[in-house]
Amino acid sequence: MAVTTPTRTWAAEVRELARRQDAVLLAHNYQLPEIQDVADHTGDSLALSRIAARSSASTIVFCGVHFMAETAKLLAPDKTVLIPDAAAGCSLADSITADELRAWKAEHPGAVVVSYVNTTAAVKAETDVCCTSSNAVEVVASIPADREVLFLPDQFLGAHVRRVTGRENLHVWAGECHVHAGINGATLAAQVDAHPDAELYVHPECGCATSALYLAGAGAVPPERVRILSTGGMLDAARRSSAREVLVATEVGMLHQLRRAAPDVAFRAVNDRASCRYMKMITPEKLLRALREGRDEVHVDPELAARARQAVQRMIEIGKPGGGE
């Protein structure tokens, strides 16, 4: 297939095919700008999955990575869920398997398993309760203090939760998102030196989250200018911000939505090479192919899906789910 240039003609064809197929188009915040712009809804993975569940459309086209489309299928089991490239994986979700989680649980009988939503359906099925980056502290705080907690898979988010809660019986899996892990403290410190008046928006998956808090504590940056935020939280903060400049520590695709939300603010990436190759696998031509050919459909075993869905529902019962990542 020839590569499709993302023009007005392309966008018009995508929208017309979506109408004919009774499809709603969902795009994650880290997608290519042209994918974000043509979508019906843009956001984090959990927010998009909940939109999928509420939508009257019979087909969901999820422009994101595979675990996100799986989560949409969990919450909308009766709908057809398509992902434009089934090979679009996730280094964080791949950092723990269901077998590894079962073995870890066997080492800590009676522990409560808390899994970030950035996990596969098979891992969610072995989980007691899911969390997001914005409600992870709330979820862990809801667990009796005398119960051990197994937190997975992101070590940086886990460290953030342990730091905030002070919980010593919180065990953290040594997983990471390769993109967020690459946004390190040294890079952050250099950007702070170059932009001393900027606010900081730091995703808790980042390797520099601890460094950001250290810089605030040491007085290098006023504490009120350092924000540890999910992607949804970043958008909320951007809409309220009076800052002239903001340094953003997350995947660079997020800058597109931030600039749309607050066009008068100069948003700069802490690391402009922090681009997820899996997210960028969803291209204009693949989106068009998915709509034309019904590829690639996402399936989740019904029994496994029922167990995984329970972990997500328990999270929702605890409190506001917040931003997915």
Side-chain angles (χ1 to χ4, degrees):
M1 174 186 278
V3 174
T4 303
T5 302
T7 61
R8 290 184 181 179
T9 301
W10 167 82
E13 184 173 1
V14 166
R15 296 306 320 161
E16 175 60 18
L17 284 169
R19 185 190 65 79
R20 291 182 192 173
Q21 302 297 340
D22 188 30
V24 60
L25 306 184
L26 308 179
H28 189 270
N29 289 320
Y30 297 162
Q31 288 290 294
L32 293 167
E34 53 267 36
I35 300 292
Q36 295 187 39
D37 289 345
V38 81
D40 293 299
H41 303 281
T42 303
D44 60 49
S45 67
L46 183 60
L48 292 175
S49 292
R50 298 179 81 195
I51 288 170
R54 294 194 303 265
S55 174
S56 61
S58 60
T59 297
I60 310 299
V61 182
F62 207 120
C63 298
V65 294
H66 195 270
F67 82 80
M68 298 178 182
E70 273 192 337
T71 305
K73 185 66 176 179
L74 295 182
L75 297 182
D78 297 328
K79 298 181 188 295
T80 298
V81 177
L82 305 177
I83 183 169
D85 190 333
C90 171
S91 60
L92 178 57
D94 289 346
S95 66
I96 187 167
T97 65
D99 285 342
E100 288 172 329
L101 177 51
R102 282 188 285 267
W104 199 27
K105 289 165 65 174
E107 295 172 2
H108 299 273
V112 178
V113 178
V114 178
S115 291
Y116 193 19
V117 292
N118 294 31
T119 46
T120 65
V123 166
K124 288 183 178 72
E126 296 293 329
T127 294
D128 293 303
V129 58
C130 285
C131 73
T132 70
S133 59
S134 63
N135 75 354
V137 170
E138 182 182 11
V139 168
V140 170
S142 74
I143 299 167
D146 61 348
R147 295 286 300 277
E148 281 190 298
V149 177
L150 303 183
F151 188 95
L152 62 107
D154 189 79
Q155 60 183 310
F156 299 113
L157 180 58
H160 172 69
V161 172
R162 182 188 284 140
R163 180 171 55 244
V164 174
T165 63
R167 193 164 187 139
E168 296 182 358
N169 60 353
L170 178 72
H171 306 285
V172 179
W173 187 260
E176 64 182 30
C177 161
H178 71 285
V179 174
H180 283 104
I183 308 174
N184 57 42
T187 301
L188 177 65
Q191 289 288 355
V192 167
D193 285 343
H195 304 277
D197 297 324
E199 288 188 352
L200 300 182
Y201 291 180
V202 180
H203 195 284
E205 282 182 40
C206 286
C208 67
T210 299
S211 297
L213 295 174
Y214 171 80
L215 289 170
V221 181
E224 66 274 12
R225 294 216 315 259
V226 177
R227 312 286 299 277
I228 308 296
L229 299 165
S230 66
T231 55
M234 288 182 183
L235 279 172
D236 291 340
R239 295 185 184 107
R240 297 190 301 265
S241 181
S242 58
R244 297 179 61 185
E245 187 174 34
V246 176
L247 297 175
V248 182
T250 192
E251 209 271 357
V252 294
M254 190 66 207
L255 295 174
H256 185 62
Q257 286 299 312
L258 289 170
R259 288 165 178 161
R260 291 179 66 178
D264 295 332
V265 179
F267 292 99
R268 306 184 191 281
V270 169
N271 183 343
D272 59 11
R273 297 183 301 281
S275 177
C276 176
R277 66 181 184 274
Y278 299 114
M279 283 287 183
K280 273 52 177 183
M281 289 172 68
I282 309 302
T283 62
E285 70 168 321
K286 289 176 183 175
L287 173 55
L288 201 57
R289 182 186 67 182
L291 286 164
R292 284 173 174 167
E293 303 176 15
R295 296 173 54 182
D296 289 312
E297 186 171 355
V298 175
H299 299 279
V300 181
D301 175 78
E303 188 275 331
L304 184 147
R307 291 163 54 208
R309 193 178 303 116
Q310 287 180 346
V312 177
Q313 293 298 335
R314 290 188 192 111
M315 172 188 70
I316 293 171
E317 290 166 8
I318 288 170
K320 181 181 176 183
E325 310 89 38

